[in-house]
């Protein structure tokens, strides 16, 4: 598991008075940062190796402005070239949202998916949902 | 089907050079506007009747800055108190992303879900995926 | 003057119930699109010619969700290598915000500012604040 | 001075490969959080006391994804009912952007500006630009 603590921005709220649902996808993507580094250690976008195939977010409770949140990030599936990242947002000891991003290791030059290396698979296993 | 045409904002792009994936959820929510009006005709947020339970987005092709997009919005499931909104983003005759939002008609005072009225069900049927 | 009509996104609102102030900067940047095309006709970001030096936004009235807005864009100063873009947001016949972006024609390879071409100056004059 | 450390989100970048200019306004607003608490200690948006009159942002250097930033927040002017917040973004020992927000203590019921209390003025003085 990776964890990241962050404070919501005021602009993350919406007129209903809570954090807007689309912001949770931004937080989740932000917290996939260590995963991006596995594939592109210098984070050079001209050498990016991942594409996002699908995202799912489930909303369990309203997220409030003015309280920090913790994002928890796990690897929930390791395929040949694709994998799933499972993430949760916690605020005040409550799981407020959870979701899964389906990512694909991709060779942009060859325009096709590519086997995940053994080295990265080992990293993933250390962060697997147990 | 409802349709909305819009121009991506420059700030909708990300460092990979295309529209950031989290923006698509913003566009989809933006285009659920006529659905919000069914439940809250004056759009008064103090009288909001809907909660979002889940969103799924699938990414089929990169979305470019500098070209308008069309959002197509359908009702894909009508339950007793919940329903699904299926949406697509098209750019230059290509379906670039699609997704589903699971929404619940909710009574905030009683804190429980509430049957969708016959009148709204009829509206939904006019916009069903055929 | 250039004009662009757009519908606010629900995610553009904040907890105070109106459009969040930072969104206006996004709309303004979005509506500078024809200006970007003067300098980079194909909008290729690897051939971008402009840098943003400063932005000023003044807030005159609250902007509401559920009503379209019109962005009006003018050139308010033409310098040797820099220029000012003056913009307004109108909603329901009211000017709700206005602002100025100071932009610089920039040669990224040489890392210095560059004279604006006569051709572009002529375009700018057609869109000057009168 | 108040300081806040944060990690840019991937969605904060734009197609030019750096942090989008409009995000800096979001960070600045996010870091005005302790100022909001002076006026509305419980952060209840139905009891908000501030309006934003104007924002200025100057861009000094590109902000990179993948490196944390520090926001520094000062009070740079204390008027009768209005005041200025001066803020800077630092990344890797470099001041990359700075800006000023002009805020007004406002009585929404009476629809007019209101004197800043002595108690808050004292807090402001502790955070003044020296």
């Amino acid at each position: 598991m990776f964890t990241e603590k962050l404070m919501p921005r005021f602009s993350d709220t919406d007129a209903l008075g809570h954090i807007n649902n689309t912001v949770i996808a931004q937080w989740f993507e932000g917290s996939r940062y260590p995963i991006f580094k596995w594939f592109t250690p210098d984070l050079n976008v001209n050498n990016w190796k991942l594409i996002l195939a699908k995202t799912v977010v489930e909303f369990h409770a309203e997220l409030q402005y003015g309280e920090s949140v913790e994002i928890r990030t796990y690897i929930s599936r390791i395929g040949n070239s694709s994998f799933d990242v499972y993430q949760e947002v916690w605020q005040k000891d409550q799981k407020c949202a959870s979701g899964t991003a389906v990512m694909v290791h991709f060779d942009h030059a060859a325009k096709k998916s590519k086997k995940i290396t053994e080295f990265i698979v080992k990293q993933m296993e250390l962060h697997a949902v147990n």
Side-chain angles (χ1 to χ4, degrees), chain A residues 2-58:
Chain A
F2 295 105
T3 62
E4 184 185 5
K5 271 222 157 137
L6 61 87
M7 275 302 285
R9 304 174 189 169
F10 193 79
S11 53
D12 289 341
T13 61
D14 68 25
L16 297 176
H18 312 290
I19 303 304
N20 181 261
N21 67 87
T22 67
V23 170
I24 292 162
Q26 293 184 0
W27 292 348
F28 281 164
E29 185 182 41
S31 291
R32 290 198 293 269
Y33 171 80
I35 294 165
F36 299 157
K37 288 197 97 163
W38 287 340
F39 289 89
T40 308
D42 63 358
L43 296 172
N44 180 346
V45 291
N46 296 314
N47 192 26
W48 210 252
K49 303 284 183 47
L50 292 170
I51 54 174
L52 184 64
K54 181 179 177 177
T55 54
V56 179
V57 185
E58 293 187 70

Side-chain angles (χ1 to χ4, degrees), chain A residues 6 8 17-18 29-30 40 53 56 61 67 74 76 94 117-118 121 130:
Chain A
L6 61 87
H18 312 290
E29 185 182 41
T40 308
V56 179
E67 296 283 344
Y74 306 83
S76 54
Q94 190 179 16
T117 66
E118 273 312 299
V121 167
N130 63 336

